[in-house]
Amino acid sequence: MLSGNILRMNPDGSDQQVFANTGGRVLGFDFDAAGHLIAADAVKGLLSIAPDGKVSLLTDRVAPGDPIRYADGVVVAKSGKMYLSDASTRFAPKDWGGTFEASVLDILEQASTGRVLEYDPATRATRVV
């Protein structure tokens, strides 16, 4: 479901509460040293969610004219740099009706256009690894 909700709950799954809403679809997350949830959102890009639930965009493009189309995984390194996967440079979920539809199109095409990106919070630069 494309709700954009990130839930907070007890370890047993009880007491579910909406912690934040990205307006997109978070497919992967990690935490940075400051305790922010760093989210790979397939619709929005790379997001930072503060402990109070405030959502901020870190990056949604590699360079002008080169958007991150399908962010789906992220790892925060000890250095603070963030590595994320962009599953497709051709089919963005926001343009094709959702993550399922975009994934099917990418699979059918079999062009292997995914890539790994690095975001450096110190310089705010994003590059292809």
Side-chain angles (χ1 to χ4, degrees):
M1 175 183 291
L2 183 64
S3 72
N5 286 339
I6 296 174
L7 302 178
R8 177 178 13 214
M9 66 187 86
N10 293 328
D12 67 0
S14 65
D15 193 26
Q16 295 183 10
Q17 302 169 15
V18 175
F19 166 65
N21 185 292
T22 67
R25 175 103 191 241
V26 173
L27 297 179
F29 67 90
D30 199 358
F31 291 90
D32 68 9
H36 291 84
L37 188 148
I38 305 301
D41 188 302
V43 176
K44 302 289 184 169
L46 187 65
L47 307 175
S48 175
I49 304 167
D52 67 0
K54 181 180 182 230
V55 179
S56 302
L57 176 67
L58 295 175
T59 185
D60 63 355
R61 58 193 59 254
V62 177
D66 187 9
I68 298 170
R69 288 185 179 81
Y70 200 141
D72 67 337
V74 63
V75 173
V76 179
K78 287 182 183 179
S79 68
K81 291 182 180 179
M82 300 166 189
Y83 295 88
L84 65 147
S85 53
D86 187 9
S88 175
T89 58
R90 299 238 323 115
F91 301 106
K94 66 182 174 187
D95 298 334
W96 294 94
T99 54
F100 176 78
E101 294 82 356
S103 295
V104 168
L105 290 169
D106 203 57
I107 290 166
L108 290 172
E109 188 176 76
Q110 294 187 15
S112 301
T113 65
R115 57 193 178 169
V116 176
L117 307 175
E118 176 191 75
Y119 173 75
D120 185 344
T123 63
R124 303 182 86 182
T126 306
R127 70 178 186 96
V128 177
V129 175

